[in-house]
Amino acid sequence: MRLSSQSVGRVILPLGLLVWLAGAATAVESAAAKPAAAGKSSGSLLCYRVPGGENYFALSLTASELPREVQPHDIVILFDTSASQTGNFRTQSLDVLKSLIEALPAEQRVKLFAVDVEAVPLTEEFVTPKSDEFLSAMKRLHKRVPLGSTNFANAVQAAIESFSSEMTSARGVIYIGDGMSISQLIPPEEMRVTIADLVRRKIPVSSFAIGPRTDLSLLGILAEHTGGVLMMHNPDVLFVDNPELDAELSRRKTPTQIERKTAAQNGRELAAAVVAPVFYPGKLQVSPEVSSLYPKTIPPLRVDRDTVWLGTNAVAAPMHVVAEGTFNGKPVRFKWDVKPGESHTANTFLTAIWDDADRDQGLTVAVAGADFLKLARRSYEERVLELVALGRLAVKQRRLKEAEEIAWNIRKLDPTNVEARVILDATQKARKVSSKPITYLKQVGTNETERSRTKIALAVAQEEQKEAGQPADTETQVTEPKKKLDDLDDTPAGTAQSSEDLIEAVKERRKALAQRLNLEVERSIDDARRLTETEPDTVLQNLKRIRITVESSTDVDTDVRNMLLRRISRQYEQVTNRRASIEEGKLRAAERESQLNSQRHLEDAVMQRQTQIAQLLDRVRALMDEGFQGRADAFEEAESVGSVAVELDPYNGVVAATVFNAEAAGQLDKAQKLRAMRADKFLAVLHQVELSHIPFPDEPPILYPPAEVWQALTERRAIWKSVDLKLDPNSPKGKKELRILRELDQQTKMEFVEIPLRDAIASLAEQHEIPIRLDEAKLTDEGVQVEQPITLSVDGITLKSGLKLLLQPLQLTYVVEDEVLKITTGTDATDKLQTRVYPVGDLVVTPTAQMAGGALGGGQQGGQQGGGFGGGQQGGGGFGGGGGGGGFGGGFNVVDPTEIPAEFNNDTVRNRKKKRNNQG
């Protein structure tokens, strides 16, 4: 989109014509409209007929039959970070964005932009609202400093380019900001091109207007023509306190207030609006035919707000409307039968809405819901009452020419306004001269609408004259005083003045009025300069009022009036800039205060850390003293305390030296104790050596059974190698647990693909018909979720191997306990101990005759070898015999030698030994 800073076609409302902003979104809550619905879709028709003129209407339709299922959307969020978005506006905007993200369904995807001079993407692609990438983008957005102005056109173009050419999912754009693209104005033609592109791609643009000033017209146009919605941060600022207006609107039972919502409410409503269905009609049929209908391009229809068309026609019969198109790839057709409401003075503002729409062929028709309809009506009525008040003041101050001009301006806005007639009557009485028909100078406008409005006002005036019994001339004649309207002289009746004197009087009068108006402007500007620093908002309101006064002063020369308006505009701009500077200064002051607070907190933290380190060092010194006095573990405690101090200040030499000293002192203390223990143990060993020199006799001898006996004993004892007291095969519990143990050796099959652990265990329990239970408490303590998805595909292996493959990645294992196969953590399984019994009673036996030979030979051989050792080392065999006896220990009972059979006595053994030696 190309932007032009020289464009004069900026789509912004003139003062007092904010009324077109919302159009006629819903029916007036009065007798003026009686909506009729066909099927489920609803519609309403507001009407106002100008006396002697045309009939204006607003057709309001809602596509309530659209399906409300939430579909996946790709959503672009444009967040304004220009200089105007500071202070509370910034905070509120971020709160709305946070609430919006929290309310979006999980399947939606978003892309975040920071918008000021450029549109900067904070996420590269569309991501889910809860993703780490989007949370990182939110952190960068919080750190971004509001600077520059808003290039709104570039932001919209960046949003359009973010979507792919192929429409794979629904789309939407959300803008959070003021929409004030002052540096780059958007010409109407470029606005039409942008809107057409958005509609073609089916991208509704919704906005949340927030800031010191907001361009509601621009945001409203986008919402109306693309199928979006428009919300406001604080609608109260658009209403000027006016008790008289409140009373009048209350008398008419006309809604005036707009509900103020919190940031959380606005965020949730934005989230609901961006995913709501939008229908883009391809064809619209209206019968009976109407003379004119705006907008000429068919705007989208929504389920959560009305879409409005403005038109002119003599509407008497019900209006039949048919909209056709496609929705979600299927053809749809909506019908409405709308009964027109009676013409009502509450709908007078429709004429002003139509005037604005007629200037640019319907581009400025905007709809933002019922709330903006309330704003439209109040703004229109407020403008009329302001003019009435100015007219009364002019009459009171005998500025009759100005009063007449104001009365005619009121009649152009509202031809049936009673106050305008009262002001005209008052000016006629104030002149105190006789009346005669004179001809007005035609005050025709620059377009057909202005000319028609002037004719209507004259026609109404003629009807009033007829009712009062006064003669009326042609359409451009009304009864007026003898003096012309330009004659503002208040000379008493009967005083003759020439035409030259009257002209001079008029000039003097104009000059005086100009001087008085100039003084008022000077006073307002002085007040503005004096109060700008403390009350900039009040100053801006006062400048707005004085500007209205100057614009209404039509009896002042145009050059003078334009000069005053320029001065007011310059002052207004200065105050606006100064207010922005004040806000920026407050922001900088808050930043400085925050920096000072951070510095103070840092200094406090440093002082607190130094105090804590000093306390830790004192504790280390005290523990070192205790260690020197003999407490063994004091040095290790001192080292631990010093390590804490090192963590607080790792680069402090004193702290590091304290840890080193504590560790060194502890090691030296341990070394000294070990040396003392070594000396003591050495002396104890020497004592044991001396004791070992005492011999003892090898009678009776120690008998060892032969190898065959040992083998038989081992085989006999095999069935009692390990006895588990828990598994009693004769008890019901033992039988169940033995069955589980046998089933662990059976083959199994596991085909698990991304299924929860709980379901996988249940499947194995069903397959093997054994109870398997998850110890959820232990698993939760270790951070393992029973719903954690697992994947495993094995076949033809045992159940115990399969469970190992399944549970090992999760740091889990299994145990057989309480008649079930329990899945638990490795730590818990390690803590579970089992008692097992190993019988040794058969080792204590009485040697038989067959065992004696081996026992005797072994004992004698051991004694001889021991004796040899003893004789070689110590000079005697006593030590050797002792060694042989000690080697046996006492596993067998010693028997009486007389009971040993002859073949196993000592002689027999010695003979056999000699025989073997001789053979060898």
Side-chain angles (χ1 to χ4, degrees):
M1 175 186 295
R2 183 184 61 83
L3 304 180
S4 172
S5 60
Q6 303 298 325
S7 172
V8 296
R10 173 71 184 276
V11 187
I12 282 187
L13 294 176
L15 184 63
L17 292 181
L18 184 61
V19 293
W20 64 266
L21 181 63
T26 54
V28 178
E29 298 178 14
S30 66
K34 298 179 180 179
K40 295 183 180 179
S41 296
S42 60
S44 62
L45 192 61
L46 300 179
C47 299
Y48 177 68
R49 184 176 183 82
V50 178
E54 292 183 289
N55 185 78
Y56 297 86
F57 70 87
L59 174 62
S60 176
L61 303 177
T62 304
S64 54
E65 289 182 343
L66 284 175
R68 296 177 179 265
E69 292 83 3
V70 177
Q71 299 179 349
H73 280 67
D74 286 344
I75 304 168
V76 172
I77 300 177
L78 305 175
F79 191 90
D80 196 335
T81 56
S82 61
S84 60
Q85 300 296 305
T86 58
N88 184 55
F89 299 121
R90 169 85 167 185
T91 302
Q92 290 291 322
S93 298
L94 291 172
D95 290 344
V96 170
L97 177 59
K98 178 182 177 182
S99 177
L100 164 66
I101 295 303
E102 291 175 350
L104 281 176
E107 65 271 14
Q108 311 303 334
R109 301 193 310 164
V110 295
K111 185 173 183 180
L112 182 61
F113 281 84
V115 177
D116 38 58
V117 179
E118 298 291 340
V120 180
L122 299 182
T123 56
E124 295 298 330
E125 302 293 340
F126 286 94
V127 296
T128 58
K130 306 301 187 300
S131 65
D132 294 338
E133 184 176 354
F134 189 81
L135 295 178
S136 176
M138 287 290 292
K139 292 179 180 178
R140 292 197 301 273
L141 179 63
H142 278 76
K143 295 179 180 178
R144 191 177 179 88
V145 179
L147 294 172
S149 60
T150 305
N151 193 330
F152 190 81
N154 275 356
V156 174
Q157 190 63 31
I160 294 175
E161 294 174 355
S162 297
F163 299 105
S164 60
S165 56
E166 297 182 0
M167 188 170 181
T168 57
S169 60
R171 304 168 174 181
V173 174
I174 295 178
Y175 170 75
I176 301 177
D178 54 16
M180 298 295 293
S181 185
I182 298 177
S183 61
Q184 298 290 341
L185 305 181
I186 306 176
E189 291 304 321
E190 293 189 6
M191 175 63 76
R192 287 189 175 92
V193 172
T194 301
I195 290 174
D197 193 15
L198 290 168
V199 173
R200 180 177 59 82
R201 298 170 181 259
K202 295 185 178 179
I203 305 175
V205 180
S206 301
S207 303
F208 178 70
I210 181 171
R213 290 187 299 167
T214 54
D215 194 343
L216 295 177
S217 59
L218 178 61
L219 302 180
I221 288 171
L222 285 175
E224 159 68 1
H225 290 272
T226 65
V229 298
L230 175 59
M231 300 179 186
M232 288 191 302
H233 162 238
N234 184 9
D236 297 341
V237 300
L238 300 178
F239 296 108
V240 179
D241 292 337
N242 193 331
E244 184 180 359
L245 176 60
D246 292 337
E248 175 63 20
L249 295 177
S250 176
R251 183 184 65 79
R252 296 185 183 183
K253 298 181 179 181
T254 303
T256 59
Q257 297 301 322
I258 297 178
E259 180 184 359
R260 184 172 184 176
K261 301 173 183 177
T262 64
Q265 290 174 320
N266 285 317
R268 289 193 295 268
E269 291 187 7
L270 270 178
V274 75
V275 298
V278 181
F279 172 52
Y280 292 84
K283 183 179 180 181
L284 186 73
Q285 298 177 350
V286 180
S287 61
E289 294 185 1
V290 296
S291 302
S292 301
L293 191 67
Y294 292 133
K296 292 187 176 298
T297 57
I298 306 174
L301 295 166
R302 295 180 62 94
V303 298
D304 52 358
R305 69 157 174 82
D306 295 349
T307 301
V308 171
W309 285 265
L310 302 177
T312 59
N313 194 17
V315 179
M319 185 175 290
H320 304 282
V321 184
V322 178
E324 298 178 353
T326 58
F327 184 77
N328 290 340
K330 299 179 181 179
V332 293
R333 192 169 186 264
F334 291 95
K335 294 182 179 180
W336 294 268
D337 291 327
V338 188
K339 182 180 179 181
E342 297 179 358
S343 177
H344 196 277
T345 55
N347 300 331
T348 309
F349 66 93
L350 293 178
T351 60
I353 297 176
W354 173 262
D355 288 347
D356 283 326
D358 191 41
R359 290 191 184 98
D360 51 25
Q361 299 299 303
L363 178 63
T364 53
V365 176
V367 177
D371 285 345
F372 286 88
L373 179 62
K374 300 174 185 179
L375 174 62
R377 181 177 292 106
R378 183 182 179 96
S379 179
Y380 174 84
E381 297 290 350
E382 191 174 67
R383 175 59 175 165
V384 172
L385 284 183
E386 285 179 357
L387 290 176
V388 169
L390 291 174
R392 292 174 179 172
L393 181 62
V395 172
K396 183 177 180 180
Q397 296 178 350
R398 299 187 64 79
R399 294 181 281 114
L400 305 182
K401 167 63 177 179
E402 181 180 344
E404 291 167 350
E405 294 289 345
I406 292 174
W408 281 100
N409 286 331
I410 295 173
R411 286 226 165 151
K412 287 182 180 180
L413 288 174
D414 184 3
T416 61
N417 190 279
V418 177
E419 294 294 336
R421 180 177 178 179
V422 171
I423 293 173
L424 288 175
D425 291 344
T427 57
Q428 293 176 6
K429 294 178 181 178
R431 294 184 183 278
K432 298 180 181 180
V433 294
S434 59
S435 299
K436 72 174 183 178
I438 67 169
T439 301
Y440 265 113
L441 296 175
K442 294 184 180 180
Q443 300 180 358
V444 296
T446 58
N447 56 36
E448 184 62 31
T449 302
E450 289 292 335
R451 290 192 290 270
S452 174
R453 193 64 52 78
T454 301
K455 293 179 181 180
I456 292 170
L458 292 172
V460 172
Q462 290 176 3
E463 292 179 3
E464 292 174 353
Q465 289 175 355
K466 291 179 181 179
E467 293 175 1
Q470 299 175 349
D473 204 350
T474 63
E475 289 186 353
T476 58
Q477 291 180 345
V478 296
T479 301
E480 282 295 320
K482 288 182 179 180
K483 298 181 180 180
K484 295 182 179 180
L485 292 178
D486 291 337
D487 184 6
L488 302 181
D489 186 32
D490 297 328
T491 305
T495 303
Q497 289 184 334
S498 64
S499 299
E500 291 78 5
D501 294 336
L502 290 175
I503 293 175
E504 290 298 327
V506 169
K507 291 181 179 179
E508 291 296 328
R509 179 74 173 186
R510 286 177 177 271
K511 184 177 179 181
L513 291 175
Q515 292 176 351
R516 183 166 56 188
L517 191 60
N518 184 58
L519 289 175
E520 293 181 6
V521 171
E522 287 286 350
R523 185 165 56 251
S524 299
I525 291 176
D526 290 340
D527 292 341
R529 292 169 178 168
R530 179 170 51 85
L531 300 175
T532 295
E533 298 296 328
T534 57
E535 302 177 24
D537 293 331
T538 303
V539 170
L540 292 177
Q541 291 293 336
N542 293 337
L543 291 176
K544 288 180 182 179
R545 293 190 178 96
I546 191 64
R547 182 167 60 189
I548 293 173
T549 302
V550 174
E551 290 175 345
S552 303
S553 301
T554 55
D555 51 355
V556 177
D557 289 341
T558 303
D559 294 339
V560 176
R561 188 166 63 251
N562 292 338
M563 181 270 295
L564 295 176
L565 289 174
R566 285 194 297 271
R567 292 187 60 190
I568 295 173
S569 298
R570 284 196 300 270
Q571 187 63 36
Y572 189 92
E573 183 177 359
Q574 292 175 4
V575 174
T576 303
N577 295 336
R578 183 54 187 161
R579 183 175 64 173
S581 300
I582 292 173
E583 293 292 338
E584 186 176 355
K586 291 180 179 178
L587 181 61
R588 286 198 297 268
E591 291 177 352
R592 287 194 298 270
E593 182 64 23
S594 177
Q595 293 174 355
L596 292 175
N597 289 335
S598 300
Q599 185 175 355
R600 284 194 292 268
H601 292 161
L602 182 61
E603 292 174 354
D604 293 341
V606 170
M607 292 297 297
Q608 183 178 2
R609 185 178 61 183
Q610 291 177 352
T611 302
Q612 188 175 0
I613 291 174
Q615 293 174 350
L616 291 172
L617 294 180
D618 291 341
R619 177 59 179 163
V620 170
R621 296 188 187 97
L623 290 171
M624 294 280 286
D625 292 339
E626 294 179 7
F628 293 140
Q629 294 174 6
R631 190 159 73 88
D633 55 349
F635 293 110
E636 293 184 357
E637 291 184 16
E639 184 179 352
S640 300
V641 175
S643 299
V644 176
V646 170
E647 291 178 358
L648 293 176
D649 193 357
Y651 303 107
N652 190 319
V654 176
V655 174
T658 301
V659 176
F660 176 80
N661 293 337
E663 184 178 8
Q667 293 298 328
L668 290 174
D669 182 68
K670 292 177 182 178
Q672 290 175 358
K673 290 180 179 178
L674 289 175
R675 290 193 185 98
M677 183 183 297
R678 183 174 62 185
D680 293 341
K681 296 296 182 182
F682 178 77
L683 295 176
V685 170
L686 291 178
H687 176 70
Q688 292 295 328
V689 171
E690 294 297 330
L691 289 176
S692 68
H693 289 171
I694 302 174
F696 62 92
D698 193 17
E699 289 294 338
I702 299 173
L703 303 179
Y704 292 92
E708 293 81 2
V709 176
W710 285 111
Q711 181 66 29
L713 290 174
T714 302
E715 292 176 356
R716 189 179 67 182
R717 198 169 60 241
I719 61 174
W720 296 294
K721 282 192 302 185
S722 175
V723 179
D724 193 344
L725 296 180
K726 295 178 61 179
L727 295 178
D728 183 2
N730 297 322
S731 67
K733 177 179 179 182
K735 291 179 180 179
K736 292 181 180 180
E737 293 185 352
L738 284 173
R739 181 181 178 280
I740 293 174
L741 291 173
R742 286 194 297 270
E743 195 65 29
L744 287 172
D745 294 326
Q746 301 299 317
Q747 290 190 351
T748 187
K749 180 179 180 181
M750 299 183 185
E751 291 291 342
F752 304 140
V753 179
E754 289 296 323
I755 68 172
L757 175 62
R758 184 198 301 275
D759 296 344
I761 296 301
S763 175
L764 292 176
E766 182 179 357
Q767 178 181 348
H768 291 272
E769 298 181 353
I770 59 175
I772 306 178
R773 188 179 71 85
L774 290 167
D775 193 345
E776 297 188 13
K778 299 294 184 182
L779 267 61
T780 302
D781 292 342
E782 292 293 332
V784 179
Q785 301 297 326
V786 297
E787 300 297 334
Q788 180 172 344
I790 59 174
T791 299
L792 181 63
S793 177
V794 294
D795 191 8
I797 65 174
T798 61
L799 177 59
K800 64 171 65 175
S801 299
L803 286 173
K804 183 177 180 181
L805 294 175
L806 180 69
L807 301 177
Q808 214 169 34
L810 303 178
Q811 304 297 320
L812 302 179
T813 186
Y814 65 88
V815 295
V816 179
E817 185 181 54
D818 299 331
E819 304 180 33
V820 298
L821 183 63
K822 183 181 294 184
I823 308 300
T824 184
T825 63
T827 304
D828 182 57
T830 304
D831 294 339
K832 297 182 184 297
L833 302 179
Q834 296 182 356
T835 303
R836 294 184 179 271
V837 178
Y838 297 89
V840 295
D842 61 326
L843 297 177
V844 185
V845 297
T846 301
T848 63
Q850 296 176 350
M851 299 164 55
L856 180 60
Q860 184 175 1
Q861 184 178 4
Q864 291 175 353
Q865 292 174 352
F869 172 77
Q873 298 294 329
Q874 303 294 337
F879 179 64
F888 179 73
F892 289 86
N893 293 332
V894 179
V895 300
D896 188 353
T898 60
E899 297 178 359
I900 300 176
E903 61 269 23
F904 293 113
N905 58 26
N906 292 338
D907 295 336
T908 304
V909 170
R910 284 193 293 270
N911 292 334
R912 289 178 179 176
K913 182 175 181 183
K914 290 179 180 180
K915 184 178 182 179
R916 286 196 299 270
N917 292 335
N918 293 331
Q919 292 176 355

